[in-house]
């Protein structure tokens, strides 16, 4: 290695050849160092980073990691990962070579982090970032071992109480908003489609097929560094087309007609997440319904569909879940009587095939009201019974409305 003095500027510079991660030879010149030592340190660090030598420090490798992930991760994900690594990983291992960090040191680091009494969810997030960093080093840059593989992971996904509104609670909430206003139409869209908040805020007139009552969800909106950002949805499966009811189509159509020739590619709800959250809290307080998050309106749509007998696969497609297991893990507990439905179906089949008159009591009962399938009860016409059932089976009473991952 060699550094050179720039006599004209009074600074130092380096000029050197290096081998990048593909094995290609390249030349690098960098000027403006105050001292010869700074120039030489830059050259050494640059060569390690370019080749991704596992002698590089974690601080150096984090930059390699994000360089490699720049095309596969969204800006928001990169920011969240960086924030976590900067706060919880680099203060402990920034200057340590990647190939020198041991499982014992990972355990000591975990103990230090756990002492801060973060939530289980956040502990799991921190652990995931550490593990992902070492996995990338092992899988792509031939690090011998991932020290995280040899220790127990900290944190876990906590069992959270899922909150949602019944149809009656939602209607009570909507009495606090002026019909036809932008917030009225937005909350209608959220409740009756199950769209994510960012998806709803990104919708333009071009995304709605008014002739066929279809809503095309193909992007999402968020705010970063004071700028509006429109990007592709959360996952590939989140690109979807869903049917919307006639009344919702008309509400959206009437609302757009009052926006004075809004361009086809302009957002119909030009607001930020914080404004929606503030409006939700304001109306909840005004109407007295139970407090939920904006995202819980999506859960409310799912609960409504399940109450109407809609099966998980249809909900998966409508919600844009990547895998049916996500749907089942999130909402499976809202199907409490499906085992009974299966048993009754088998009973009915046996009766048909055997010609037996020894039918189940609810099949032969003269009162036809007892023959109603519980999944086919009209939600709106039987709301009092449904409210009672939900109350009896509420979280506080340890009932059927289980946990969400």
């Amino acid at each position: 290695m060699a550094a050179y003095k720039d006599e004209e500027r009074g600074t130092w510079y380096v000029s050197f050849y290096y081998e990048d991660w593909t094995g290609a030879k390249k030349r690098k010149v960098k000027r403006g160092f105050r001292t010869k030592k700074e120039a030489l340190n830059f050259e050494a660090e640059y060569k390690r980073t370019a080749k991704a030598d596992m002698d590089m420090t974690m601080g150096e490798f984090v930059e390699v990691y994000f360089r490699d992930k720049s095309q596969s991760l969204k800006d928001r994900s990169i920011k969240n990962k960086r924030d976590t690594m900067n706060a919880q990983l680099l203060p402990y291992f920034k200057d340590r070579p990647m190939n020198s960090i041991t499982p014992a040191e990972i355990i000591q680091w975990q103990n230090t982090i756990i002492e801060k009494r973060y939530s289980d969810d956040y502990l799991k997030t921190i652990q995931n970032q550490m593990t992902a960093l070492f996995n990338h080093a092992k899988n792509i840059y031939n690090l011998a071992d991932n020290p995280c593989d040899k220790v127990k992971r900290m944190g876990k996904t906590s069992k959270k109480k899922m909150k949602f509104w019944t149809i009656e609670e939602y209607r009570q909430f909507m009495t606090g908003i002026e019909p036809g206003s932008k917030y009225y139409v937005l909350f209608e869209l959220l409740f009756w489609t199950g769209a994510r908040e960012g998806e709803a805020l990104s919708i333009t007139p071009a995304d709605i097929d008014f002739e066929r009552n279809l809503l095309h969800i193909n992007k999402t909106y968020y705010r970063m560094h004071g700028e509006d950002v429109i990007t592709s949805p959360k996952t590939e499966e989140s690109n979807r087309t869903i049917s919307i009811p006639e009344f919702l189509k008309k509400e959206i159509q009437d609302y757009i007609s009052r926006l004075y020739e809004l361009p086809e590619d302009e957002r119909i709800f030009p607001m930020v997440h914080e404004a929606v959250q503030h409006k939700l809290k304001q109306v909840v307080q005004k109407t007295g319904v139970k407090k939920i998050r904006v995202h819980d309106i999506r859960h409310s749509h799912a609960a409504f569909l399940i109450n109407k007998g809609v099966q998980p696969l249809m909900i998966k497609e409508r919600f844009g879940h990547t895998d049916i297991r996500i749907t089942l893990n999130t909402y499976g507990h809202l199907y409490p009587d499906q085992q009974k439905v299966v048993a009754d179906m088998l009973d009915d089949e046996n009766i048909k095939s055997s010609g037996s008159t020894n039918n189940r009591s609810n099949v032969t009962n003269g009162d036809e009201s007892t023959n109603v399938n519980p999944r086919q009860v009209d939600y709106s016409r039987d709301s009092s019974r449904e409210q009672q059932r939900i109350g009896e089976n509420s979280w506080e009473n340890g009932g059927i409305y289980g946990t969400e991952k």
Side-chain angles (χ1 to χ4, degrees):
M1 294 192 296
Y4 307 94
K5 185 70 177 285
D6 187 331
E7 299 295 345
E8 182 178 344
R9 295 182 175 84
T11 57
W12 290 81
Y13 71 94
V14 287
S15 176
F16 58 90
Y17 288 93
Y18 67 95
E19 185 178 286
D20 71 10
W21 62 279
T22 68
K25 293 283 188 180
K26 296 184 178 180
R27 184 169 180 260
K28 176 72 175 178
V29 177
K30 177 71 173 177
R31 301 179 181 275
F33 298 102
R34 292 178 300 170
T35 66
K36 181 178 180 179
K37 183 178 180 181
E38 286 182 3
L40 293 175
N41 285 343
F42 171 83
E43 179 181 350
E45 179 180 331
Y46 192 92
K47 287 180 176 178
R48 287 197 303 271
T49 302
K51 193 176 181 181
D53 188 330
M54 287 299 96
D55 283 332
M56 76 169 64
T57 65
M58 180 180 285
E60 295 166 348
F61 187 70
V62 163
E63 299 308 315
V64 173
Y65 176 81
F66 284 115
R67 179 195 70 192
D68 292 349
K69 296 290 185 179
S70 62
Q71 299 304 312
S72 60
L73 293 177
K74 297 183 185 298
D75 290 343
R76 183 164 51 172
S77 296
I78 289 176
K79 180 183 182 301
N80 291 340
K81 280 176 168 286
R82 273 196 180 275
D83 289 347
T84 301
M85 291 182 182
N86 288 340
Q88 309 298 348
L89 276 60
L90 296 186
Y92 304 92
F93 297 108
K94 179 180 179 181
D95 298 322
R96 292 293 308 282
M98 288 291 290
N99 58 12
S100 72
I101 299 172
T102 66
E105 289 173 314
I106 294 295
I107 291 175
Q108 293 170 20
W109 165 75
Q110 288 178 331
N111 291 338
T112 300
I113 297 297
I114 290 171
E115 287 176 358
K116 296 183 179 182
R117 300 193 179 281
Y118 294 128
S119 69
D120 275 333
D121 283 341
Y122 187 49
L123 289 176
K124 183 177 180 180
T125 296
I126 297 170
Q127 180 69 64
N128 286 347
Q129 299 312 318
M130 178 69 89
T131 302
L133 195 66
F134 276 106
N135 276 340
H136 192 69
K138 179 179 177 181
N139 296 337
I140 307 302
Y141 295 106
N142 300 316
L143 179 68
D145 294 297
N146 180 345
C148 297
D149 290 343
K150 298 181 180 180
V151 303
K152 182 179 179 180
R153 293 192 173 199
M154 64 179 179
K156 59 184 178 181
T157 301
S158 60
K159 298 289 187 180
K160 292 182 179 179
K161 298 178 179 180
M162 179 185 288
K163 292 185 178 181
F164 60 89
W165 283 331
T166 64
I167 185 65
E168 295 299 326
E169 288 173 313
Y170 171 69
R171 286 173 175 161
Q172 180 180 342
F173 169 81
M174 291 300 284
T175 63
I177 306 178
E178 181 183 354
S181 66
K182 64 181 180 181
Y183 284 110
Y184 186 94
V185 178
L186 174 61
F187 284 118
E188 281 279 87
L189 190 147
L190 290 171
F191 184 86
W192 295 110
T193 69
R196 299 178 179 93
E197 183 182 1
E199 294 170 344
L201 292 180
S202 74
I203 291 172
T204 68
D207 297 325
I208 308 168
D209 184 338
F210 289 108
E211 291 186 4
R212 297 190 294 168
N213 288 31
L214 296 176
L215 173 63
H216 304 292
I217 296 178
N218 49 40
K219 52 190 174 295
T220 191
Y221 163 86
Y222 61 91
R223 188 93 170 161
M224 178 177 283
H225 305 308
E227 300 289 336
D228 290 336
V229 178
I230 301 290
T231 186
S232 56
K234 184 177 181 180
T235 65
E236 183 177 344
E237 288 74 13
S238 294
N239 278 287
R240 62 198 188 277
T241 297
I242 61 177
S243 296
I244 59 176
E246 180 70 17
F247 75 86
L248 179 60
K249 188 271 297 269
K250 289 182 178 179
E251 288 178 347
I252 298 173
Q253 203 167 28
D254 291 344
Y255 167 70
I256 292 178
S257 71
R258 299 194 301 272
L259 297 180
Y260 306 105
E261 299 182 356
L262 182 73
E264 286 290 295
D265 60 351
E266 288 289 328
R267 293 194 298 137
I268 68 175
F269 303 115
M271 60 187 82
V272 298
H273 292 276
E274 289 77 11
V276 182
Q277 294 157 9
H278 176 74
K279 186 66 174 180
L280 176 74
K281 292 178 182 178
Q282 182 185 65
V283 179
V284 162
Q285 185 174 11
K286 177 181 178 180
T287 58
V289 297
K290 69 169 174 276
K291 296 178 182 179
I292 66 172
R293 305 167 303 163
V294 175
H295 189 72
D296 293 328
I297 300 177
R298 179 171 162 89
H299 297 327
S300 301
H301 182 62
F304 176 78
L305 295 181
I306 290 168
N307 182 273
K308 288 295 187 181
V310 177
Q311 294 305 305
L313 185 59
M314 180 61 69
I315 293 175
K316 169 193 175 297
E317 294 174 355
R318 191 168 179 84
F319 277 48
H321 287 159
T322 304
D323 192 299
I324 187 65
R325 287 173 294 183
I326 296 174
T327 311
L328 293 173
N329 287 341
T330 306
Y331 302 117
H333 61 281
L334 296 180
Y335 288 90
D337 60 350
Q338 291 305 292
Q339 290 285 359
K340 181 64 163 59
V341 170
V342 171
D344 289 348
M345 178 271 292
L346 295 175
D347 258 341
D348 290 339
E349 186 62 30
N350 181 61
I351 290 169
K352 291 177 185 176
S353 62
S354 65
S356 171
T357 58
N358 186 24
N359 296 355
R360 288 181 289 111
S361 59
N362 70 324
V363 175
T364 59
N365 195 313
D367 182 3
E368 292 185 358
S369 65
T370 62
N371 300 331
V372 177
N373 186 324
R375 308 299 331 151
Q376 297 174 332
V377 173
D378 188 305
Y379 195 92
S380 59
R381 290 191 294 106
D382 200 25
S383 59
S384 60
R385 185 180 67 81
E386 179 63 18
Q387 290 281 6
Q388 180 182 1
R389 183 176 69 83
I390 289 175
E392 292 171 350
N393 293 283
S394 65
W395 291 106
E396 290 76 10
N397 294 328
I400 62 174
Y401 293 92
T403 58
E404 174 194 10
K405 289 189 177 181

